[in-house]
Amino acid sequence: HTVRIEDVPGRNVRSVTAAHIVIATGTQATRDARIPFDGQRIMISDDILSLEKLPRSLTVVGAGVIGIEYATIFATLGVRVTLVDKRDRLLPFIDREITDNLAHHLHQNRATLRLGEEVKSLEPITDDKGDRVKITLASGKQETVEAEALLVAVGRKPHTENIGIEGTRIQTDRGFIKVDQYQRTGEPGPLTQEHGKSSPGDLGAALEVNDTESRTKIPVRLRCGLEDSRRSNPPHLLVVR
């Protein structure tokens, strides 16, 4: 199998050949087309890493792993954080004793939790108080929440668009690559990385193929990289990230 690599479309083209290909292209933040993202006032998690200065206040919509991560970071840095999520508790897949303790620490850092709430609308506003983002909650318990910046962290989706699988036998379902019980795609050779899932993910420190029937782990020797493509023998395994 051969992967065609282009640094710029149509330029600096290279081809890398390997017996097996692992697709591990990761995920990307979900963007709602109705939300006017600008990367500074209304952001996704990728944008927030490029902030030039801390906002004095931040509303985080979505209390999943990423939303919680940034809410705790900014609250610890002294930013007034409001965390909004439609679920009635934080991280429901974790023991309640742990999440209750997490909520306690957020409150200690002056964060406000608005759980069991959904966003009805949002809009950027500018007046004599400066630039802000106003969101209206669907419940009506509190008419609006305002902050200098808004982080929308409502999930991520597989990054499988425009990675060159068109025209192959690799099939997707809502962006997730379809695989069998051994993580094999419809194209003989390419594999995806995550076991039990069909989405590309990050490779661990040790790469193993999990044999689900015998419950044994088969180690895979990873000897690949762009430099291998120049050798007379192609690499056994190529990781596409």
Side-chain angles (χ1 to χ4, degrees):
H1 295 276
T2 300
V3 174
R4 178 186 172 95
I5 303 170
E6 298 180 1
D7 293 340
V8 179
R11 296 174 55 189
N12 301 326
V13 179
R14 291 175 288 177
S15 295
V16 181
T17 301
H20 301 284
I21 298 172
V22 175
I23 301 175
T25 49
T27 61
Q28 56 187 339
T30 301
R31 287 178 178 266
D32 189 324
R34 298 169 297 178
I35 299 176
F37 292 101
D38 59 15
Q40 288 296 317
R41 209 188 318 182
I42 303 177
M43 303 168 287
I44 58 173
S45 56
D46 296 339
D47 300 325
I48 207 165
L49 299 173
S50 301
L51 284 178
E52 295 181 357
K53 64 177 183 179
L54 289 175
R56 288 179 294 181
S57 56
L58 173 70
T59 299
V60 179
V61 176
V65 173
I66 294 174
I68 288 288
E69 178 182 10
Y70 284 110
T72 54
I73 290 172
F74 278 81
T76 302
L77 292 173
V79 177
R80 293 299 300 265
V81 173
T82 300
L83 184 61
V84 180
D85 195 274
K86 63 181 181 181
R87 293 167 293 192
D88 60 1
R89 56 168 295 195
L90 301 176
L91 305 175
F93 54 89
I94 295 178
D95 289 345
R96 181 175 289 275
E97 183 180 356
I98 296 174
T99 56
D100 286 348
N101 195 40
L102 172 61
H104 174 70
H105 284 289
L106 282 167
H107 287 306
Q108 281 188 322
N109 284 318
R110 301 194 304 164
T112 301
L113 306 185
R114 304 288 300 177
L115 303 180
E117 298 274 15
E118 292 190 54
V119 176
K120 181 179 180 181
S121 63
L122 66 89
E123 62 174 326
I125 57 176
T126 300
D127 54 23
D128 55 354
K129 297 180 181 179
D131 297 334
R132 304 185 310 287
V133 181
K134 179 174 70 174
I135 68 171
T136 302
L137 301 177
S139 69
K141 295 176 183 177
Q142 178 179 337
E143 185 176 351
T144 61
V145 176
E146 295 183 5
E148 284 192 358
L150 169 68
L151 170 64
V152 179
V154 293
R156 299 184 69 85
K157 62 180 182 179
H159 183 47
T160 52
E161 298 176 2
N162 303 316
I163 63 170
I165 61 176
E166 301 79 6
T168 69
R169 283 178 283 182
I170 299 174
Q171 298 180 335
T172 61
D173 179 13
R174 294 172 299 171
F176 292 88
I177 294 177
K178 294 183 178 180
V179 295
D180 64 13
Q181 61 182 354
Y182 300 108
Q183 300 300 297
R184 295 176 299 191
T185 69
E187 185 74 35
L191 307 171
T192 54
Q193 183 269 326
E194 287 193 0
H195 305 302
K197 298 182 180 179
S198 55
S199 62
D202 295 327
L203 288 173
L207 182 63
E208 296 175 321
V209 175
N210 190 10
D211 185 336
T212 56
E213 290 186 352
S214 64
R215 298 189 180 277
T216 60
K217 291 185 177 180
I218 308 169
V220 176
R221 185 177 180 185
L222 184 63
R223 45 187 183 90
C224 64
L226 292 179
E227 66 278 3
D228 292 325
S229 65
R230 306 187 188 96
R231 299 174 183 171
S232 58
N233 296 323
H236 177 70
L237 179 67
L238 173 67
V239 179
V240 179
R241 303 197 63 169

